[in-house]
Amino acid sequence: MGEDAESPKINHTFLRDYVTEADVISTVEFNQTGDLLATGDKGGRVVIFQRETEVYSGEYNVYSTFQSHEPDFDYLKSLEIEEKINKIRWLPQQNAAHFLLSTNDKTIKLWKVSERDKRPEGYNLKDEEGRIKDVSTITSLQVPILKPTDLMVEVRPRRVFANGHTYHVNSISVNSDGETYLSADDLRINMWHLGITDRSFNIVDIKPANMEDLTEVITAAEFHPHHCHLFVYSSSKGSLRLCDMRASALCDKHAKLYEEPEDPGSRSFFSEIISSVSDVKFSHSGRYMLTRDYLTAKVWDLHMDKGPVETYQVHEYLRSKLCSLYENDCIFDKFECVWNSSDSVIMTGAYNSFFRMFDRETGRGVTLEAWRESSKPRAVLRTRRVYTGGKRRRGDVGVDSLDFTKKILHMAWHPAENIIAIAATNNLYIFQDRVNPDAQTQ
Amino acid sequence: MINTMECVADAQSLISISLMKIHNSRTQRGGIKLHKNLLVSYVLRNARQVYIKEKYAEIYRMQQYEEVMTVCNEIQELNPLELDAEDTEDEDLTRTACCGEEFHRGSIKEPEPVYYRSCCMEAPLPSPCDQLPVNINMHCNKTTVLDLDTHVVTTVDNGYIHQDCCCDAFQCAQSAQSPAKKRKMDFGYCASDLDDFTTSRKRLKREDCLYSCQDFTDTSNISNLISIFGSGFSGLLSRQADLEQICSKQALAGLGAWTRAIVAF
């Protein structure tokens, strides 16, 4: 799925710039093989892309589209429930069908995505249009046979996990056991069985007895990729808590607490905001965790809780602009972060359609841009730079020229290859590494 | 400690911006976002700390100056046989020590809620110094209260509490108690309760448009708003004030509105 071809005759610029709020992509996720890519948007729709298998390093084309969530209303609390898809997670594939979980603020749904390329023909009691035949006209019996037809993709809701959360759901994570998954809201984490919708187990509850004493909320949660009893959740205070479900039914008490002491010299009005963790991801190896706060991305070693082992400055030049970013609400943006398949590179988004990749071995970072004006299909992305002083190079962008409405919040990295999917407002960009299409093994 | 290079004007604008965000969050689609409003409350608290610290420092400097001036004047008029002068001096020193103590206590008193008199006070008040004079606008005898719902500010004369205002304060304080208890059981109900109470109760009014930045940056308004908030996030939700003190604490009359605005967090 590349970019749309531009018509040379009609100027579509004004149409392109107009973005319907509902079309803004809110989540992106590859399945376990990388053949399918799902996106969710603010309008509650899910679009699934499938990779061409016949061609090596083929493109992604639209596979299926369906309406996952509708706007809802809680009459008891007089609250509108947004249909925006917060997260999508694929289940490990067990048969020909694919399953995915999608969630909005309140309700999680399990969808079955299956293909149908054959249809039965030759019914005895029904005609071709499906109308019941007059029995008196039937003179002989025939055995219906399956005949190939055009491929049809069917998406059906198989489970609806409702009424499990009082607050806004921010994360879902499928367990490695293949049977359970967790869902996290601001104050609680629930564990569900994929087959049971009428009950869930609450495993974390940080709601204080007196809401006046509230000091932090849960911002993200994820199961360990290999150990089905371990999960991690991040907080608005910048800490991570690793919990072991074998220890007790309620994991309010963490097994390990990961936090970095605050530097008193850098204290500001916005210290609490910029230290809030917006995303946490386990590495594929399960040894490390990657977190993102407003200005940095950090790699944590599960064996060391005193602080991160690596810290990457994503856009340190924004530190002096925090007041303006607070005024225009950009300081509350929640950026995601991802690992590559070999855990050697991490990636996260920024403003002005920029996203950043950091090589963990060298510690070096590169800035790339997801913007159709500056890249054509098949063209090699050139690196970008934000000018923060020193010698200014051609193409550098000044900090004050950054477009804060163009933010890269959501992204995904193919589980096996160097293919990345970047959501830029209502556009999806898929980039592939031509030099090293396969990830380097370590 | 917050970098004190941030001037008081920044703190004032941050307070007004934060209040605006909290107010706007009540009407946004999808319900109040707990995480965002918690973070906004932290900014509010930080800005308030800086603002109050600067104000206390200013009060302390002014009082020290007055003390020095008083001593100078006394030196000029000094009659060794007159004992009253010494008593006055002692009284001033006591008051200074008392206020100095309050200053010291105020700077480290987090996050315990402290209730400040919102109404302005003339400098040499004989009343017991059990409340901290936050508002340093010595010439203002008015209290400004804010209505989040009708966007009206009313300035009330100090010492002349309107009967309806007082009664409403009592009603607001009382009514704020039961929904607060209810909310402890189930937080999720607060948002609907918000709408119930905002329409049914008479609020202290704001005359000018809420969105006028000029009003928000006015020093006396900020001082009064800070006194309403008390200290820290825990201070954003009111503990029940004594009935006898309700009439003397005009700011608490508006606590009902604030409670309902903030309780969702």
Side-chain angles (χ1 to χ4, degrees):
Chain A
M1 172 90 177
E3 294 135 8
D4 298 329
E6 293 178 28
S7 165
K9 291 175 191 166
I10 304 168
N11 186 0
H12 291 292
T13 313
F14 74 99
L15 284 174
R16 271 210 305 273
D17 291 343
Y18 176 73
V19 176
T20 311
E21 182 74 9
D23 294 335
V24 174
I25 298 171
S26 51
T27 184
V28 187
E29 183 79 357
F30 279 102
N31 73 336
Q32 277 77 11
T33 60
D35 290 336
L36 294 176
L37 174 67
T39 62
D41 63 24
K42 283 191 173 183
R45 287 171 305 226
V46 172
V47 180
I48 302 175
F49 300 88
Q50 187 187 44
R51 194 178 182 191
E52 276 179 46
T53 48
E54 287 144 35
V55 181
Y56 177 70
S57 54
E59 292 186 346
Y60 284 81
N61 298 312
V62 177
Y63 180 62
S64 179
T65 305
F66 62 96
Q67 187 74 32
S68 171
H69 287 73
E70 298 276 3
D72 206 349
F73 197 81
D74 186 318
Y75 295 97
L76 206 55
K77 300 172 192 174
S78 295
L79 279 181
E80 197 177 353
I81 301 169
E82 279 188 287
E83 66 277 27
K84 174 170 80 89
I85 308 297
N86 292 336
K87 281 289 185 297
I88 290 174
R89 289 288 182 264
W90 291 92
L91 267 56
Q93 192 175 10
Q94 290 175 335
N95 49 40
H98 299 274
F99 289 86
L100 64 83
L101 287 168
S102 65
T103 184
N104 67 348
D105 284 340
K106 295 290 183 190
T107 304
I108 306 134
K109 293 185 183 179
L110 177 68
W111 296 89
K112 179 180 178 183
V113 185
S114 53
E115 289 182 2
R116 187 189 291 202
D117 59 357
K118 295 186 184 59
R119 54 173 282 213
E121 280 182 13
Y123 281 108
N124 290 292
L125 297 176
K126 287 192 290 188
D127 63 17
E128 293 303 314
E129 279 77 40
R131 288 184 298 243
I132 306 292
K133 279 186 191 172
D134 184 2
V135 177
S136 59
T137 62
I138 300 172
T139 55
S140 62
L141 283 178
Q142 58 184 348
V143 178
I145 54 172
L146 291 172
K147 284 195 175 167
T149 60
D150 294 334
L151 179 67
M152 260 189 1
V153 180
E154 286 182 335
V155 183
R156 290 213 183 97
R158 297 308 300 253
R159 303 272 189 275
V160 178
F161 305 92
N163 305 315
H165 290 278
T166 308
Y167 307 101
H168 295 128
V169 175
N170 53 55
S171 310
I172 49 175
S173 176
V174 182
N175 203 347
S176 54
D177 65 8
E179 289 186 358
T180 58
Y181 74 95
L182 65 77
S183 58
D185 65 27
D186 292 321
L187 297 178
R188 298 190 179 101
I189 301 179
N190 293 336
M191 187 165 149
W192 306 77
H193 189 280
L194 286 164
I196 300 170
T197 59
D198 60 355
R199 77 194 87 125
S200 70
F201 291 99
N202 175 248
I203 52 177
V204 173
D205 188 342
I206 64 167
K207 183 181 174 185
N210 188 350
M211 279 300 279
E212 297 175 26
D213 301 329
L214 181 71
T215 56
E216 64 182 332
V217 298
I218 298 167
T219 53
E222 192 179 57
F223 268 120
H224 192 278
H226 309 309
H227 302 301
C228 57
H229 53 271
L230 287 179
F231 66 93
V232 69
Y233 70 91
S234 59
S235 84
S236 54
K237 276 192 170 176
S239 61
L240 300 172
R241 284 174 175 81
L242 187 71
C243 299
D244 190 333
M245 294 193 291
R246 298 171 302 184
S248 66
L250 252 191
C251 297
D252 286 358
K253 199 170 177 312
H254 52 262
K256 243 172 150 48
L257 171 66
Y258 302 84
E259 57 185 358
E260 187 177 22
E262 188 193 355
D263 174 20
S266 64
R267 186 118 178 83
S268 76
F269 287 119
F270 311 104
S271 294
E272 286 83 3
I273 299 185
I274 64 172
S275 65
S276 175
V277 174
S278 55
D279 194 17
V280 62
K281 293 268 174 39
F282 276 105
S283 64
H284 292 88
S285 63
R287 168 77 188 258
Y288 299 98
M289 294 179 293
L290 172 65
T291 60
R292 175 73 155 97
D293 50 56
Y294 191 65
L295 296 178
T296 69
K298 294 175 180 167
V299 175
W300 304 73
D301 187 333
L302 250 66
H303 299 155
M304 198 180 95
D305 53 7
K306 293 291 174 281
V309 289
E310 295 155 31
T311 301
Y312 300 95
Q313 304 294 335
V314 180
H315 38 206
E316 180 65 15
Y317 45 80
L318 294 183
R319 192 179 287 274
S320 56
K321 310 279 180 200
L322 292 180
C323 201
S324 313
L325 295 167
Y326 178 71
E327 279 183 62
N328 63 20
D329 272 1
C330 283
I331 205 173
F332 301 105
D333 288 335
K334 294 180 185 174
F335 293 95
E336 291 177 3
C337 51
V338 292
W339 297 89
N340 75 334
S341 55
S342 59
D343 299 337
S344 60
V345 179
I346 62 166
M347 181 171 71
T348 188
Y351 293 105
N352 206 68
S353 304
F354 289 166
F355 59 99
R356 303 211 69 202
M357 282 191 198
F358 297 95
D359 185 321
R360 291 183 61 211
E361 275 179 55
T362 61
R364 280 207 306 260
V366 68
T367 304
L368 300 166
E369 187 179 17
W371 182 237
R372 63 170 80 213
E373 300 291 348
S374 55
S375 62
K376 301 293 175 211
R378 311 277 174 210
V380 175
L381 280 182
R382 62 190 179 97
T383 59
R384 303 304 308 271
R385 221 171 71 119
V386 176
Y387 175 70
T388 54
K391 191 180 175 191
R392 187 163 187 154
R393 284 187 234 151
R394 199 168 75 98
D396 283 2
V397 179
V399 177
D400 293 323
S401 308
L402 293 173
D403 187 345
F404 290 97
T405 62
K406 296 190 174 68
K407 47 193 94 175
I408 306 291
L409 302 175
H410 311 289
M411 51 184 39
W413 202 307
H414 192 285
E417 298 181 34
N418 281 343
I419 302 173
I420 56 176
I422 309 285
T425 319
N426 62 330
N427 293 314
L428 180 71
Y429 293 85
I430 299 180
F431 300 111
Q432 191 167 37
D433 188 354
R434 290 291 182 199
V435 176
N436 294 309
D438 297 319
Q440 305 229 350
T441 53
Q442 282 189 333
Chain B
M1 221 34 218
I2 303 286
N3 185 353
T4 49
M5 291 297 285
E6 316 259 18
C7 62
V8 176
D10 284 344
Q12 286 183 10
S13 66
L14 277 178
I15 289 169
S16 61
I17 292 168
S18 302
L19 293 173
M20 190 86 76
K21 288 185 191 299
I22 291 173
H23 173 70
N24 290 340
S25 72
R26 297 172 61 197
T27 54
Q28 68 185 160
R29 197 167 171 250
I32 297 172
K33 289 181 173 35
L34 182 65
H35 183 202
K36 181 179 176 184
N37 284 282
L38 179 67
L39 297 176
V40 169
S41 73
Y42 274 118
V43 174
L44 196 53
R45 186 196 66 172
N46 295 339
R48 182 190 152 280
Q49 283 175 347
V50 168
Y51 181 83
I52 288 181
K53 186 187 168 204
E54 289 298 317
K55 289 302 178 193
Y56 281 147
E58 203 172 332
I59 293 168
Y60 190 63
R61 279 193 297 270
M62 284 181 65
Q63 285 174 340
Q64 278 197 314
Y65 173 76
E66 282 168 17
E67 179 195 340
V68 166
M69 290 307 297
T70 310
V71 170
C72 287
N73 292 336
E74 285 168 1
I75 287 171
Q76 288 175 358
E77 302 164 8
L78 190 60
N79 182 345
L81 299 176
E82 196 175 324
L83 299 172
D84 291 337
E86 288 180 30
D87 290 337
T88 312
E89 191 183 326
D90 288 340
E91 194 186 324
D92 284 341
L93 284 174
T94 308
R95 194 181 307 126
T96 308
C98 169
C99 292
E101 234 178 66
E102 297 298 346
F103 167 75
H104 176 66
R105 195 176 72 192
S107 65
I108 62 172
K109 201 168 186 174
E110 281 293 336
E112 236 175 275
V114 174
Y115 292 102
Y116 307 105
R117 285 191 77 130
S118 67
C119 42
C120 312
M121 291 178 1
E122 298 283 321
L125 264 185
S127 58
C129 190
D130 60 336
Q131 296 295 330
L132 301 164
V134 175
N135 198 322
I136 58 131
N137 188 342
M138 296 303 179
H139 302 289
C140 171
N141 285 326
K142 298 177 182 176
T143 300
T144 306
V145 289
L146 164 68
D147 185 329
L148 280 184
D149 303 299
T150 60
H151 304 175
V152 178
V153 153
T154 304
T155 305
V156 178
D157 288 337
N158 183 26
Y160 295 92
I161 300 157
H162 297 287
Q163 187 60 37
D164 58 351
C165 172
C166 189
C167 291
D168 281 334
F170 180 83
Q171 286 170 3
C172 283
Q174 274 206 323
S175 65
Q177 194 176 26
S178 46
K181 282 182 185 167
K182 182 182 173 188
R183 288 184 192 96
K184 280 173 192 171
M185 289 171 56
D186 188 345
F187 168 91
Y189 285 86
C190 59
S192 56
D193 291 336
L194 272 172
D195 296 321
D196 292 337
F197 285 99
T198 50
T199 51
S200 64
R201 301 293 175 195
K202 181 181 176 184
R203 295 289 168 268
L204 305 164
K205 297 185 190 243
R206 181 184 170 97
E207 287 168 351
D208 303 315
C209 176
L210 183 72
Y211 300 99
S212 165
C213 296
Q214 201 172 354
D215 295 314
F216 266 120
T217 56
D218 181 55
T219 306
S220 59
N221 288 340
I222 298 294
S223 301
N224 289 315
L225 291 169
I226 287 175
S227 65
I228 291 172
F229 270 104
S231 69
F233 184 73
S234 58
L236 293 177
L237 291 175
S238 65
R239 306 268 162 84
Q240 197 51 47
D242 292 333
L243 292 180
E244 299 84 17
Q245 292 181 7
I246 283 175
C247 289
S248 67
K249 294 183 184 179
Q250 292 153 304
L252 289 180
L255 267 179
W258 285 114
T259 304
R260 285 178 281 286
I262 307 299
V263 72
F265 310 149

